[in-house]
Amino acid sequence: MQLVVARIGRAHGIKGEVTVEVRTDEPELRLGPGAVLATDPASVGPLTIETGRVHSGRLLLRFEGVRDRTGAEALRNTLLIAEVDPEELPEEEDEFYDHQLMDLDVVLKDGTEVGRITEISHLPSQDLFIVERPDGSEVMIPFVEEIVVEIDLEEQRAVIDPPPGLIDDRAEIASARDAEDEAASKGTASEGTA
């Protein structure tokens, strides 16, 4: 199975190094010297990593056969793809590969069906599950432990405990004062007001 592990950015310096946008939680395993990676577009690769280093918080790679800025710049926006055994699991217990999470059923803690994961969006701040609901609509669920309380790969489900309003329009009233303000804005008085 193939997984996208990085996207090549711009050239760095004049000796063929490139910046990369890492898309794996295991860059030391997937992007180390000697790694041979397929590419998208396929005509660019495969590419073999010659060296790697971190500079100002960014990973810089140099590939075999790429010796100058022109060659490095020609690789810009190329996706780097690693071949991964489908049975391989991430090192950490609470980490998952995208392919493990795709098509999981999403349910509330009480077992109520929410939908099915159809996409995983990797944002800078957090990952999001894009969940297709039974009616065809979509809802975005932040993949954070406060909301996604359990991933059960054997049962093929993700159990969530969403805050009010995340998956439906029924947000709870936070306090009695909020209830009074809401009632006043609708032109109705609540108990204790004239």
Side-chain angles (χ1 to χ4, degrees), residues 55-106:
H55 175 72
S56 298
R58 290 192 69 85
L59 180 60
L60 302 179
L61 297 178
R62 182 185 345 235
F63 300 98
E64 288 181 6
V66 179
R67 295 280 172 240
D68 59 22
R69 185 174 186 87
T70 304
E73 195 60 44
L75 299 174
R76 192 173 193 157
N77 293 322
T78 299
L79 296 177
L80 299 175
I81 303 167
E83 189 65 41
V84 178
D85 180 348
E87 301 301 313
E88 182 181 326
L89 299 176
E91 292 177 4
E92 299 294 323
E93 186 177 306
D94 60 346
E95 291 180 355
F96 302 93
Y97 292 130
D98 287 2
H99 73 273
Q100 294 175 291
L101 302 171
M102 290 296 292
D103 293 325
L104 290 184
D105 292 324
V106 178

Side-chain angles (χ1 to χ4, degrees), residues 81-136:
I81 303 167
E83 189 65 41
V84 178
D85 180 348
E87 301 301 313
E88 182 181 326
L89 299 176
E91 292 177 4
E92 299 294 323
E93 186 177 306
D94 60 346
E95 291 180 355
F96 302 93
Y97 292 130
D98 287 2
H99 73 273
Q100 294 175 291
L101 302 171
M102 290 296 292
D103 293 325
L104 290 184
D105 292 324
V106 178
V107 297
L108 298 178
K109 285 176 28 173
D110 67 6
T112 303
E113 179 186 7
V114 175
R116 181 179 57 86
I117 298 173
T118 57
E119 184 181 338
I120 297 154
S121 180
H122 300 282
L123 303 176
S125 59
Q126 68 193 17
D127 295 337
L128 287 176
F129 291 159
I130 310 301
V131 177
E132 184 177 316
R133 304 199 63 173
D135 65 6

Side-chain angles (χ1 to χ4, degrees), residues 42-62:
S43 60
V44 176
L47 294 172
T48 302
I49 297 174
E50 187 173 284
T51 64
R53 66 185 177 105
V54 176
H55 175 72
S56 298
R58 290 192 69 85
L59 180 60
L60 302 179
L61 297 178
R62 182 185 345 235

